[in-house]
Amino acid sequence: MDLLALIMDVENVPGALRDIAGVIADHRGNIVHITQESEGELARLYMEIEGVERPKALISSLRALDVVRSVERVRPLKDIYGKRVIIMGGGAQVAEVAKGAITEADRHNIRGERISVDTIPLVGEENLAEAVRAVARLPRVGILVLAGSLMGGKITDAVKELREEHGIPVISLNMAGSVPEVADLVVTDPVQAGVMAVMAVSSAGVFDLSRVRGKRF
C-alpha cells in the first residue's frame, strides 16, 4: 500500500488531534510523520500515514469530524523532496560543499531521483553540537556533512550519538579537531565532499559509503 499524505485544516482546540488520530486508527492506519502549524482559530496538519487500505473511506471519515474544516490528499514529501543532505559549519566551507552537492543532486534529479540539499552556516561548539543532535529530529535525512576548519569536543560527542544511535552517516572535511576521527568519511576538497555525500544517498549511484568508511581522501 502506498503512503497516504494528507493536509488538513482543523479547529485549533484541545482534543482535535486525538479525534483525528482515533479515526485513522479505526481505519488501521499508522501515522509515520506529522507536522502542525497553528494560527488563530485554525491549525494546519500535514500527515503521512501507512497501512490504509481504503484511503477514500478514511478521508470521508475525517471530513465528517466536527473539528475538521478540510482534507486534501497530496504527494508525500519523500516523493517531492526525497532524501536530504544536511550541510553545516563555517559559511565559506558550507558554500563550497553545497556547490558540489547541488551540482551532483541536479545530475541525479534530472534522471528521476529526488535529493535535496539543506545548509546552515554555524559557529561555536555549543551551537554546532546542538545542531548535529537536532539532525536526528529532521525527516528524510540521508547524510550530514560537517564543513569547517576546527571541530571537536561536544561536537564530536554529538556526531558519535548521531551515527551510533540514529544510524545517520557523517562526512567531515579534513579539519583540525577530533570530529574527523569519528566521521564515516573524511574528504579534503569541500566540493568533492558535497558530490560524495549525494552519491552516498543516491539509490541509483554505485558509491557505497560502507566500503570506504574510515578513509580519508
Side-chain angles (χ1 to χ4, degrees):
M1 289 174 286
D2 293 334
L3 195 65
L4 176 64
L6 301 175
I7 290 179
M8 288 176 275
D9 287 328
V10 305
E11 294 180 11
N12 190 16
V13 296
L17 189 57
R18 175 203 59 203
D19 295 344
I20 292 167
V23 169
I24 293 172
D26 290 342
H27 285 260
R28 305 183 66 81
N30 180 44
I31 301 170
V32 296
H33 177 70
I34 180 172
T35 58
Q36 176 176 335
E37 295 181 5
S38 301
E39 184 176 349
E41 298 179 352
L42 286 181
R44 170 155 287 195
L45 299 179
Y46 170 76
M47 287 185 171
E48 293 181 355
I49 309 163
E50 64 181 7
V52 179
E53 296 181 0
R54 300 169 59 207
K56 291 183 179 179
L58 170 59
I59 291 171
S60 295
S61 297
L62 289 170
R63 285 174 175 159
L65 289 173
D66 292 336
V67 295
V68 174
R69 299 284 185 88
S70 66
V71 182
E72 179 185 2
R73 184 174 183 177
V74 294
R75 291 179 64 191
L77 288 177
K78 70 179 183 65
D79 292 345
I80 301 171
Y81 290 103
K83 298 175 184 176
R84 301 170 73 181
V85 175
I86 310 294
I87 308 166
M88 65 177 67
Q93 293 95 332
V94 165
E96 289 300 302
V97 174
K99 183 189 300 184
I102 292 169
T103 302
E104 183 69 11
D106 181 66
R107 188 173 71 86
H108 288 268
N109 292 347
I110 205 168
R111 291 172 172 81
E113 279 198 270
R114 288 291 185 271
I115 299 172
S116 55
V117 180
D118 298 85
T119 64
I120 178 168
L122 279 177
V123 294
E125 182 180 347
E126 292 282 354
N127 289 337
L128 279 163
E130 184 177 28
V132 169
R133 289 190 172 93
V135 167
R137 304 200 298 269
L138 296 173
R140 308 183 321 281
V141 173
I143 197 166
L144 168 66
V145 184
L146 289 174
S149 300
L150 170 63
M151 292 187 193
K154 295 178 181 179
I155 306 170
T156 301
D157 295 335
V159 170
K160 288 180 181 177
E161 291 177 21
L162 190 68
R163 293 180 61 240
E164 296 171 4
E165 298 180 16
H166 302 283
I168 297 176
V170 177
I171 291 179
S172 168
L173 292 189
N174 194 7
M175 66 178 83
S178 55
V179 160
E181 303 301 325
V182 299
D184 291 272
L185 184 65
V186 179
V187 183
T188 301
D189 181 3
V191 175
Q192 185 65 21
V195 171
M196 295 177 82
V198 171
M199 291 171 61
V201 301
S202 169
S203 58
V206 295
F207 178 65
D208 186 352
L209 185 61
S210 65
R211 299 184 66 177
V212 294
R213 183 167 283 119
K215 295 186 177 181
R216 295 179 181 243
F217 294 93

